[in-house]
Amino acid sequence: MKRVDNYLFEHYESIFMGAPDLYLLLKPDRPGFTIVVANDAFAEATRTNRGDLLGKHFFEALPYTEHNSLPEGKETMRASLEHVLKHGQPHRIEVQRFDLPAPPERGGGMEVSYWMALNTPVFDAQGEIAYIIHRAENITRRLRNERD
């Protein structure tokens, strides 16, 4: 396999942090799944502070509250992450409700939003899962457009 171009390798962090898609890099340390990296797009889209996410367990860092996700939302995400660990294969969640805090200019409170997620294993040199890449996409507008 060809080595990555040196320039690309040296700038990988800034490329990842500036990617338009929403990414987290999670440690596979059950039961928490610690957030190791959160890119800027993820923090902006989830209305969180990237620095506040780092080092926290996935299920504690994001505002999973009784009105924040479907009743099975947290369990669905945990099952997806566990699937990745058990089978060593990516796992997709097609639709999951994950409400976000509304900005003050929109009255505060919570806004209903729907997301897709893809959890993908990253293997180390020994073939063990070292990390899980969590890619999220807010599909709220798409779902609303399909309903209209």
Side-chain angles (χ1 to χ4, degrees), residues 62-135:
L62 298 175
Y64 278 102
T65 64
E66 64 279 356
H67 56 17
N68 190 336
S69 61
L70 296 174
E72 70 277 0
K74 193 172 185 179
E75 292 75 24
T76 300
M77 184 59 67
R78 184 174 301 283
S80 177
L81 294 169
E82 291 292 343
H83 178 93
V84 170
L85 293 179
K86 181 177 180 182
H87 300 286
Q89 297 175 343
H91 188 265
R92 179 180 304 279
I93 298 172
E94 294 297 333
V95 179
Q96 179 176 8
R97 182 173 168 178
F98 182 80
D99 297 347
L100 296 172
E105 61 271 12
R106 290 204 296 251
M110 299 297 281
E111 290 181 338
V112 173
S113 61
Y114 295 92
W115 298 77
M116 272 182 16
L118 176 64
N119 293 306
T120 305
V122 176
F123 297 94
D124 63 18
Q126 291 74 39
E128 300 294 322
I129 297 175
Y131 299 99
I132 297 173
I133 296 173
H134 173 77
R135 180 185 175 277

XYZ file of all heavy atoms in Angstrom, residues 62-135:
595
model
N -23.477 14.283 25.095
C -24.577 14.831 24.310
C -25.830 14.850 25.160
O -26.025 13.973 25.997
C -24.779 14.000 23.048
C -23.567 14.001 22.121
C -23.786 13.077 20.953
C -23.260 15.404 21.633
N -26.661 15.840 24.957
C -27.817 16.011 25.847
C -28.945 15.012 25.611
O -29.982 15.344 25.073
C -28.261 17.447 25.562
C -27.818 17.701 24.163
C -26.560 16.908 23.979
N -28.712 13.755 25.997
C -29.789 12.757 25.939
C -30.698 12.991 27.134
O -30.346 12.687 28.268
C -29.224 11.331 26.035
C -28.721 10.796 24.726
C -27.372 10.768 24.456
C -29.607 10.318 23.779
C -26.907 10.258 23.259
C -29.148 9.815 22.571
C -27.804 9.785 22.320
O -27.350 9.289 21.142
N -31.836 13.566 26.893
C -32.805 13.788 27.959
C -34.102 13.120 27.568
O -34.257 12.634 26.450
C -33.054 15.294 28.189
O -33.636 15.831 27.004
C -31.778 16.041 28.534
N -35.053 13.102 28.481
C -36.314 12.429 28.188
C -37.042 13.038 26.988
O -37.765 12.366 26.294
C -37.230 12.404 29.417
C -37.692 13.770 29.888
C -36.667 14.509 30.749
O -35.610 13.959 31.072
O -36.942 15.676 31.093
N -36.828 14.330 26.705
C -37.483 14.921 25.548
C -36.492 15.149 24.405
O -36.775 15.819 23.441
C -38.178 16.216 25.905
C -37.292 17.247 26.541
N -35.933 17.217 26.503
C -37.593 18.341 27.255
C -35.433 18.256 27.150
N -36.415 18.945 27.609
N -35.314 14.571 24.523
C -34.290 14.799 23.522
C -34.201 13.702 22.480
O -33.656 13.905 21.421
C -32.935 14.967 24.184
C -31.904 15.443 23.204
O -32.041 15.237 22.015
N -30.893 16.073 23.691
N -34.658 12.543 22.763
C -34.570 11.483 21.768
C -35.770 10.569 21.928
O -36.450 10.590 22.941
C -33.272 10.701 21.930
O -33.216 10.104 23.197
N -36.012 9.778 20.912
C -37.059 8.783 21.034
C -36.723 7.903 22.222
O -35.558 7.750 22.574
C -37.136 7.953 19.752
C -37.543 8.728 18.506
C -37.446 7.844 17.278
C -38.947 9.264 18.646
N -37.706 7.309 22.868
C -37.433 6.517 24.061
C -36.311 5.498 23.865
O -35.511 5.273 24.757
C -38.770 5.827 24.348
C -39.785 6.734 23.738
C -39.120 7.356 22.550
N -36.221 4.943 22.678
C -35.189 3.937 22.443
C -33.915 4.523 21.829
O -32.994 3.788 21.481
C -35.735 2.823 21.550
C -35.996 3.218 20.115
C -37.333 3.913 19.876
O -38.112 4.112 20.827
O -37.599 4.281 18.735
N -33.832 5.840 21.705
C -32.707 6.476 21.020
C -31.347 6.122 21.577
O -30.438 5.749 20.835
N -31.191 6.235 22.874
C -29.908 5.933 23.496
C -29.573 4.451 23.322
O -28.441 4.090 23.012
C -29.980 6.298 24.981
C -28.672 6.341 25.686
C -28.885 6.902 27.093
C -27.612 7.100 27.826
N -27.824 7.663 29.163
N -30.573 3.594 23.475
C -30.355 2.156 23.326
C -30.025 1.798 21.879
O -29.208 0.915 21.622
C -31.580 1.373 23.811
C -31.798 1.454 25.316
C -32.362 2.786 25.800
O -33.006 3.507 24.995
O -32.132 3.129 26.969
N -30.655 2.479 20.925
C -30.372 2.234 19.510
C -28.920 2.564 19.191
O -28.229 1.808 18.511
C -31.319 3.059 18.612
O -32.662 2.686 18.901
C -31.027 2.856 17.144
N -28.451 3.708 19.712
C -27.070 4.103 19.458
C -26.103 3.133 20.133
O -25.105 2.713 19.540
C -26.824 5.529 19.955
C -25.425 6.028 19.633
S -25.021 6.033 17.869
C -26.134 7.293 17.301
N -26.395 2.751 21.360
C -25.523 1.805 22.063
C -25.483 0.474 21.310
O -24.416 -0.120 21.137
C -25.973 1.584 23.507
C -25.015 0.669 24.270
C -25.355 0.550 25.728
N -25.348 1.814 26.449
C -24.249 2.455 26.837
N -23.064 1.975 26.552
N -24.342 3.587 27.504
N -26.632 0.004 20.828
C -26.685 -1.259 20.083
C -25.852 -1.167 18.803
O -25.185 -2.130 18.418
C -28.130 -1.624 19.764
N -25.875 -0.019 18.143
C -25.084 0.168 16.929
C -23.593 0.084 17.242
O -22.829 -0.595 16.542
C -25.419 1.512 16.283
O -24.612 1.734 15.151
N -23.171 0.760 18.295
C -21.758 0.726 18.682
C -21.339 -0.682 19.098
O -20.250 -1.151 18.744
C -21.495 1.734 19.803
C -21.677 3.202 19.409
C -21.670 4.099 20.640
C -20.627 3.643 18.396
N -22.196 -1.372 19.819
C -21.904 -2.751 20.229
C -21.828 -3.675 19.013
O -21.004 -4.591 18.970
C -22.953 -3.255 21.223
C -22.894 -2.574 22.584
C -21.641 -2.909 23.395
O -20.945 -3.896 23.079
O -21.363 -2.168 24.361
N -22.677 -3.439 18.010
C -22.639 -4.219 16.773
C -21.272 -4.073 16.097
O -20.690 -5.063 15.632
C -23.758 -3.770 15.826
C -23.750 -4.489 14.523
N -24.482 -5.623 14.302
C -23.085 -4.225 13.367
C -24.260 -6.044 13.068
N -23.424 -5.211 12.477
N -20.773 -2.859 16.053
C -19.459 -2.604 15.454
C -18.391 -3.406 16.193
O -17.538 -4.055 15.574
C -19.126 -1.095 15.465
C -17.677 -0.843 15.071
C -20.066 -0.331 14.548
N -18.440 -3.390 17.528
C -17.438 -4.114 18.314
C -17.566 -5.626 18.143
O -16.564 -6.334 18.055
C -17.547 -3.742 19.791
C -17.190 -2.303 20.138
C -17.354 -2.062 21.628
C -15.785 -1.958 19.681
N -18.775 -6.121 18.105
C -18.990 -7.565 18.016
C -18.630 -8.117 16.638
O -18.024 -9.181 16.517
C -20.445 -7.896 18.339
C -20.755 -9.381 18.293
C -22.187 -9.659 18.683
C -22.455 -11.163 18.626
N -23.859 -11.452 18.960
N -19.011 -7.402 15.576
C -18.857 -7.920 14.217
C -17.690 -7.302 13.444
O -17.348 -7.795 12.360
C -20.151 -7.721 13.432
C -21.319 -8.419 14.047
N -21.501 -9.782 13.984
C -22.359 -7.941 14.777
C -22.601 -10.127 14.632
N -23.144 -9.021 15.122
N -17.118 -6.215 13.963
C -16.012 -5.572 13.265
C -16.408 -4.991 11.926
O -15.597 -4.880 11.012
N -17.671 -4.613 11.815
C -18.193 -4.060 10.560
C -18.953 -2.766 10.853
O -19.486 -2.585 11.948
C -19.161 -5.042 9.914
C -18.538 -6.346 9.524
C -19.574 -7.320 8.987
O -20.779 -7.154 9.181
N -19.103 -8.353 8.310
N -19.043 -1.891 9.856
C -19.829 -0.666 10.029
C -21.289 -0.993 10.322
O -21.798 -2.036 9.905
C -19.701 0.048 8.679
C -18.474 -0.509 8.062
C -18.390 -1.931 8.539
N -21.944 -0.077 11.027
C -23.367 -0.228 11.304
C -24.043 1.124 11.129
O -23.564 2.137 11.629
C -23.605 -0.752 12.716
C -25.036 -1.101 12.966
N -25.911 -0.217 13.546
C -25.744 -2.218 12.669
C -27.107 -0.798 13.625
N -27.031 -2.007 13.099
N -25.176 1.115 10.418
C -25.898 2.356 10.109
C -27.201 2.423 10.903
O -27.912 1.431 11.030
C -26.216 2.408 8.620
C -26.989 3.658 8.191
C -27.283 3.673 6.714
N -26.103 3.561 5.898
C -25.276 4.576 5.588
N -25.520 5.786 6.052
N -24.229 4.391 4.834
N -27.494 3.612 11.379
C -28.800 3.917 11.954
C -29.475 4.841 10.952
O -28.991 5.938 10.684
C -28.672 4.607 13.329
C -27.973 3.691 14.321
C -30.048 5.032 13.840
C -27.648 4.359 15.634
N -30.584 4.380 10.385
C -31.237 5.126 9.309
C -31.900 6.413 9.784
O -31.753 7.450 9.170
C -32.252 4.245 8.587
C -31.623 3.094 7.829
C -30.694 3.529 6.699
O -30.884 4.625 6.141
O -29.780 2.758 6.377
N -32.684 6.335 10.855
C -33.365 7.525 11.372
C -33.413 7.432 12.890
O -33.816 6.412 13.441
C -34.813 7.657 10.850
C -35.491 8.892 11.436
C -34.847 7.705 9.331
N -32.972 8.500 13.527
C -33.048 8.580 14.977
C -33.386 10.014 15.353
O -32.794 10.960 14.835
C -31.718 8.185 15.615
C -31.752 8.268 17.125
C -30.449 7.784 17.749
O -29.477 7.523 17.081
N -30.446 7.676 19.043
N -34.333 10.159 16.241
C -34.677 11.501 16.710
C -33.657 11.910 17.762
O -33.336 11.160 18.672
C -36.079 11.509 17.313
C -36.484 12.900 17.760
C -37.913 12.933 18.196
N -38.190 14.178 18.874
C -39.368 14.518 19.331
N -40.401 13.711 19.176
N -39.545 15.671 19.946
N -33.136 13.110 17.572
C -32.185 13.685 18.519
C -32.423 15.185 18.500
O -31.972 15.892 17.605
C -30.750 13.349 18.119
C -29.732 13.875 19.093
C -29.478 13.208 20.272
C -29.050 15.040 18.822
C -28.549 13.700 21.176
C -28.122 15.545 19.721
C -27.867 14.864 20.899
N -33.198 15.678 19.451
C -33.552 17.090 19.491
C -32.378 17.924 19.962
O -31.536 17.455 20.720
C -34.754 17.305 20.394
C -35.994 16.592 19.869
O -36.004 16.152 18.716
O -36.957 16.485 20.646
N -32.357 19.163 19.503
C -31.277 20.088 19.832
C -31.807 21.298 20.573
O -32.943 21.708 20.350
C -30.598 20.566 18.548
C -29.888 19.515 17.723
C -29.449 20.115 16.393
C -28.705 18.958 18.482
N -30.970 21.887 21.415
C -31.377 23.140 22.052
C -31.572 24.219 20.983
O -30.723 24.393 20.111
C -30.193 23.495 22.961
C -29.376 22.247 23.064
C -29.648 21.441 21.837
N -32.695 24.894 21.036
C -32.958 25.976 20.087
C -32.177 27.216 20.518
O -32.067 27.499 21.711
C -34.450 26.283 20.038
N -31.646 27.951 19.555
C -30.941 29.187 19.899
C -31.892 30.177 20.571
O -33.104 30.153 20.306
C -30.461 29.722 18.555
C -30.602 28.607 17.589
C -31.651 27.695 18.129
N -31.368 31.055 21.413
C -32.214 32.041 22.105
C -33.063 32.880 21.149
O -34.203 33.194 21.444
C -31.213 32.923 22.851
C -29.980 32.093 22.976
C -29.972 31.165 21.797
N -32.501 33.208 19.965
C -33.258 34.028 19.015
C -34.471 33.290 18.444
O -35.340 33.897 17.842
C -32.367 34.561 17.877
C -31.722 33.510 17.013
C -30.363 33.025 17.524
O -29.987 33.327 18.664
O -29.695 32.332 16.759
N -34.523 31.972 18.647
C -35.692 31.197 18.231
C -36.507 30.756 19.437
O -37.296 29.823 19.354
C -35.268 29.982 17.401
C -34.725 30.390 16.039
C -34.820 29.304 14.996
N -34.036 28.127 15.261
C -32.939 27.774 14.601
N -32.491 28.546 13.632
N -32.302 26.673 14.884
N -36.281 31.398 20.571
C -37.107 31.160 21.733
C -36.592 30.133 22.724
O -37.248 29.837 23.710
N -35.417 29.566 22.480
C -34.881 28.564 23.402
C -35.690 27.276 23.350
O -36.392 27.005 22.383
N -35.580 26.486 24.378
C -36.269 25.195 24.401
C -35.560 24.185 23.525
O -34.363 24.298 23.267
N -36.304 23.204 23.061
C -35.730 22.151 22.232
C -36.394 22.149 20.857
O -37.582 22.429 20.747
C -35.916 20.777 22.887
C -35.263 20.615 24.242
S -33.470 20.771 24.222
C -33.005 19.159 23.605
N -35.611 21.842 19.824
C -36.122 21.721 18.459
C -36.034 20.258 18.032
O -34.998 19.616 18.204
C -35.277 22.548 17.486
C -35.424 24.021 17.644
C -34.585 24.798 16.639
O -33.595 24.275 16.103
O -34.950 25.952 16.403
N -37.108 19.764 17.464
C -37.125 18.386 16.972
C -36.178 18.273 15.788
O -36.190 19.099 14.877
C -38.559 17.975 16.540
C -38.553 16.616 15.866
C -39.484 17.974 17.742
N -35.315 17.253 15.815
C -34.451 16.988 14.667
C -34.244 15.483 14.532
O -34.366 14.735 15.501
C -33.112 17.718 14.788
O -32.398 17.300 15.918
N -33.976 15.073 13.308
C -33.776 13.661 12.994
C -32.418 13.481 12.348
O -31.986 14.322 11.555
C -34.884 13.157 12.059
C -36.234 13.181 12.717
C -37.062 14.289 12.596
C -36.666 12.114 13.494
C -38.295 14.325 13.226
C -37.902 12.139 14.128
C -38.706 13.248 13.986
O -39.915 13.289 14.617
N -31.778 12.371 12.688
C -30.401 12.124 12.282
C -30.226 10.715 11.736
O -30.939 9.799 12.122
C -29.479 12.290 13.489
C -29.521 13.669 14.048
C -30.508 14.204 14.839
C -28.583 14.703 13.846
N -30.212 15.511 15.131
C -29.026 15.837 14.545
C -27.380 14.780 13.148
C -28.327 17.023 14.564
C -26.675 15.969 13.173
C -27.157 17.079 13.868
N -29.245 10.578 10.854
C -28.719 9.281 10.438
C -27.319 9.198 11.034
O -26.665 10.225 11.231
C -28.579 9.190 8.916
C -29.808 8.719 8.222
S -29.668 8.542 6.414
C -27.970 8.550 6.022
N -26.870 7.975 11.308
C -25.511 7.803 11.823
C -24.889 6.565 11.208
O -25.579 5.588 10.910
C -25.536 7.683 13.341
N -23.601 6.630 11.016
C -22.827 5.481 10.565
C -21.657 5.333 11.521
O -20.872 6.267 11.706
C -22.319 5.686 9.132
C -21.424 4.587 8.578
C -22.202 3.271 8.466
C -20.846 4.996 7.229
N -21.569 4.164 12.150
C -20.473 3.855 13.060
C -19.559 2.849 12.372
O -20.015 1.791 11.937
C -21.025 3.293 14.372
C -21.806 4.348 15.119
O -21.302 5.436 15.372
N -23.049 4.054 15.455
N -18.267 3.193 12.260
C -17.315 2.398 11.497
C -16.084 2.083 12.337
O -15.504 2.987 12.945
C -16.881 3.180 10.233
O -18.053 3.545 9.497
C -15.958 2.366 9.360
N -15.655 0.805 12.360
C -14.468 0.457 13.144
C -13.179 0.927 12.466
O -13.090 0.976 11.239
C -14.519 -1.076 13.197
C -15.222 -1.473 11.940
C -16.222 -0.370 11.687
N -12.187 1.254 13.307
C -10.831 1.555 12.844
C -9.935 0.548 13.558
O -9.923 0.496 14.789
C -10.408 2.996 13.208
C -8.966 3.250 12.795
C -11.350 4.014 12.581
N -9.202 -0.236 12.778
C -8.395 -1.314 13.331
C -6.947 -0.882 13.542
O -6.400 -0.114 12.744
C -8.433 -2.532 12.396
C -9.820 -3.112 12.259
C -10.641 -2.725 11.215
C -10.286 -4.027 13.182
C -11.923 -3.252 11.081
C -11.570 -4.554 13.066
C -12.384 -4.171 12.013
N -6.321 -1.411 14.595
C -4.906 -1.170 14.826
C -4.081 -2.209 14.066
O -4.634 -3.062 13.358
C -4.571 -1.154 16.320
C -4.826 -2.475 17.027
O -4.939 -3.524 16.354
O -4.905 -2.469 18.274
N -2.750 -2.167 14.213
C -1.860 -3.071 13.485
C -2.087 -4.535 13.845
O -1.779 -5.430 13.056
C -0.408 -2.683 13.750
N -2.637 -4.812 15.023
C -2.900 -6.189 15.458
C -4.289 -6.674 15.043
O -4.689 -7.784 15.387
C -2.754 -6.314 16.979
C -1.337 -6.157 17.494
C -0.871 -4.703 17.457
O -1.624 -3.782 17.754
N 0.383 -4.505 17.064
N -5.042 -5.846 14.346
C -6.366 -6.237 13.895
C -7.455 -6.030 14.934
O -8.581 -6.474 14.748
N -7.141 -5.334 16.024
C -8.126 -5.024 17.064
C -8.768 -3.673 16.765
O -8.136 -2.789 16.175
C -7.464 -4.982 18.445
C -6.800 -6.291 18.848
C -7.790 -7.418 19.035
O -8.886 -7.158 19.559
O -7.462 -8.553 18.645
N -9.999 -3.512 17.212
C -10.671 -2.224 17.009
C -10.079 -1.209 17.982
O -10.193 -1.351 19.197
C -12.191 -2.351 17.187
C -12.760 -3.296 16.121
C -12.861 -0.970 17.097
C -14.238 -3.600 16.273
N -9.441 -0.194 17.419
C -8.800 0.844 18.221
C -9.736 2.031 18.451
O -9.678 2.671 19.498
C -7.522 1.328 17.541
N -10.579 2.306 17.470
C -11.495 3.437 17.522
C -12.747 3.105 16.722
O -12.758 2.188 15.920
C -10.867 4.714 16.937
C -9.638 5.157 17.663
C -8.375 4.867 17.172
C -9.737 5.863 18.854
C -7.233 5.270 17.848
C -8.606 6.271 19.535
C -7.358 5.961 19.031
O -6.248 6.355 19.713
N -13.759 3.931 16.932
C -14.959 3.892 16.104
C -15.171 5.305 15.571
O -15.183 6.270 16.349
C -16.198 3.434 16.899
C -16.017 2.014 17.410
C -17.459 3.553 16.040
C -17.114 1.544 18.349
N -15.310 5.403 14.257
C -15.653 6.690 13.654
C -17.176 6.777 13.637
O -17.854 5.904 13.106
C -15.118 6.814 12.217
C -13.597 6.775 12.215
C -15.637 8.110 11.565
C -12.993 6.730 10.821
N -17.687 7.832 14.257
C -19.127 8.089 14.281
C -19.383 9.245 13.321
O -18.893 10.350 13.516
C -19.570 8.455 15.703
C -21.000 8.890 15.799
N -22.046 8.005 15.773
C -21.546 10.133 15.909
C -23.186 8.675 15.878
N -22.905 9.965 15.947
N -20.122 8.963 12.254
C -20.477 9.996 11.283
C -21.972 10.240 11.406
O -22.769 9.316 11.326
C -20.157 9.555 9.859
C -20.509 10.615 8.829
C -20.300 10.091 7.410
N -20.744 11.051 6.440
C -22.004 11.197 6.040
N -22.955 10.440 6.522
N -22.323 12.100 5.153
